[in-house]
């Protein structure tokens, strides 16, 4: 049975694609120029000290050392009072700062990481599977809005979450609902797995199972009169009322036909959808390159108010 997608769209805008990532590096050099001419033009030692002065200075040094008030180092003479601590014993090197030998190195959190995904409340976070290390968040502007922001979050080894870039997107014409039904022009609210991809265009290099098929073709125009021809060039099936592991075109609907189906992430065409989430073609390709089945990717989708619960 062939699925009838909730919407049919295209993106005829010329998308320049994501900005190239800046490359950087570090470098440096070292040299020792202080030794140049070390032995040249050496001045003769001066012997202007008088014997009495030497004897007096020696007596003063012995007295100070006997009280423990003087520390003599290779480069300088300082008092314990000046240093704020007792002088080290002769022959014992000063201990370097830092953890003791053999101590465990504390875990370093990746820059910009957060202990939890921003914008998600405790109830929504509890619905994310424990094994998921990639979470695509589609956060709608309002319950009745078709404007959305999509961000891919990745969980680091220490459990903290790293946000990716925020991508502009669209959802259904009438916004969001927690009880989606066929043709209600709302996108379903919830947490859904992302198992299968496909499209009219050949596989761009995704790790997800990719179903290349000429039937991924939309026609007509969208709600704002925009052409829909290229909307299904790339799609990722959202596992709402479908059987994971099948092509996005598969029409099996375990919850029944009245609950709707064919909810995808697909190429944006510049206007509202019938129920799907849409992002630019360039971001679709980037997402397909990034999602990994081993990281159990899911999508968390809904309006901001609902997701914050």
């Amino acid at each position: 049975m062939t699925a009838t997608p909730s919407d049919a769209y295209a993106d005829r805008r010329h998308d320049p694609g994501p900005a190239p990532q800046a490359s950087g590096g570090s470098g440096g050099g070292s040299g020792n120029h202080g030794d140049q001419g070390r032995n040249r033009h050496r001045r003769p030692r001066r012997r202007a000290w008088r014997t009495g002065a030497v004897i007096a200075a020696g007596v003063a040094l012995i007295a100070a050392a006997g009280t423990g008030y003087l520390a003599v180092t290779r480069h300088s003479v300082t008092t314990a009072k000046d240093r704020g601590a007792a002088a080290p014993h002769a022959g014992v090197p000063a201990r370097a700062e830092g953890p003791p030998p053999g101590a465990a190195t504390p875990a370093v959190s990746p820059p910009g990481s957060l202990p939890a995904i921003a914008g998600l409340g405790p109830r929504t976070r509890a619905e994310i599977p424990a094994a998921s290390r990639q979470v695509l968040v589609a956060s709608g502007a309002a319950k009745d809005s078709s404007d959305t922001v999509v961000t891919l979050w990745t969980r680091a080894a220490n459990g903290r979450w790293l946000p990716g870039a925020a991508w502009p997107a669209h959802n259904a014409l009438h916004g969001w609902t927690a009880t989606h039904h066929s043709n209600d022009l709302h996108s379903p609210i919830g947490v859904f797995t992302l198992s299968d991809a496909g499209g009219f265009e050949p596989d761009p290099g995704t790790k997800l199972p990719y179903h290349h098929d000429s039937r991924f073709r939309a026609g007509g125009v969208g709600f704002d009169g925009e052409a829909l021809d290229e909307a299904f060039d790339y799609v990722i099936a959202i596992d709402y009322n479908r059987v994971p592991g099948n092509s996005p075109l598969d029409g099996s609907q375990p919850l029944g036909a009245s609950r709707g189906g064919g909810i995808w992430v697909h190429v944006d065409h510049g206007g509202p959808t019938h129920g799907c989430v849409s992002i630019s073609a360039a971001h679709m390709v980037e997402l397909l390159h990034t999602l990994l089945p081993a990281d159990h990717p899911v999508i968390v989708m809904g309006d901001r108010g609902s997701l914050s619960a």
Side-chain angles (χ1 to χ4, degrees):
M1 181 176 176
T2 300
T4 300
S6 289
D7 43 348
Y9 310 105
D11 184 355
R12 288 187 176 275
R13 297 174 300 169
H14 177 67
D15 196 313
Q21 299 200 359
S23 60
S26 60
S30 62
N32 187 358
H33 304 294
D35 290 338
Q36 294 181 4
R38 178 186 292 175
N39 296 320
R40 290 183 292 178
H41 310 297
R42 178 176 291 178
R43 296 181 181 180
R45 295 174 180 258
R46 299 181 63 184
R47 302 180 182 276
W49 288 0
R50 296 180 180 178
T51 303
V54 172
I55 294 174
V59 171
L61 287 170
I62 292 172
T67 62
Y69 192 73
L70 185 70
V72 182
T73 67
R74 177 182 175 189
H75 301 291
S76 63
V77 177
T78 59
T79 65
K81 180 187 295 185
D82 294 334
R83 296 187 307 113
H89 293 290
V92 179
R95 187 172 181 175
E97 295 183 0
T105 302
V108 178
S109 297
S113 64
L114 297 173
I117 297 175
L120 304 187
R123 188 174 67 190
T124 303
R125 292 198 302 267
E127 295 179 14
I128 299 174
S132 294
R133 293 186 292 273
Q134 291 180 319
V135 175
L136 187 67
V137 177
S139 180
K143 193 71 174 288
D144 59 354
S145 172
S146 61
D147 294 324
T148 295
V149 174
V150 169
T151 306
L152 179 63
W153 291 75
T154 304
R155 190 170 63 182
N158 63 355
R160 292 175 66 88
W161 289 92
L162 284 163
W167 298 333
H170 285 102
N171 55 278
L173 177 67
H174 293 162
W176 302 91
T177 180
T179 56
H180 178 73
H181 286 81
S182 179
N183 298 320
D184 65 4
L185 298 182
H186 288 80
S187 295
I189 298 171
V191 178
F192 309 102
T193 54
L194 300 173
S195 305
D196 301 277
F200 183 83
E201 296 292 334
D203 183 354
T206 183
K207 298 296 189 298
L208 295 174
Y210 191 86
H211 306 265
H212 181 210
D213 198 307
S214 60
R215 290 178 294 168
F216 285 103
R217 203 62 176 168
V221 296
F223 294 109
D224 293 336
E226 71 276 21
L228 306 177
D229 294 343
E230 301 168 3
F232 301 153
D233 281 356
Y234 304 106
V235 311
I236 300 171
I238 296 172
D239 292 339
Y240 168 82
N241 198 17
R242 70 178 298 270
V243 179
N246 293 345
S247 166
L249 293 172
D250 180 72
S252 301
Q253 297 179 340
L255 300 178
S258 65
R259 296 297 303 275
I263 307 296
W264 299 343
V265 181
H266 64 67
V267 175
D268 185 65
H269 48 82
T273 72
H274 279 75
C276 298
V277 174
S278 60
I279 58 178
S280 74
H283 292 152
M284 275 297 300
V285 172
E286 183 176 348
L287 185 61
L288 286 167
H289 286 167
T290 306
L291 293 181
L292 300 173
D295 285 344
H296 306 284
V298 300
I299 184 171
V300 178
M301 52 193 288
D303 61 282
R304 294 174 188 168
S306 298
L307 296 185
S308 65

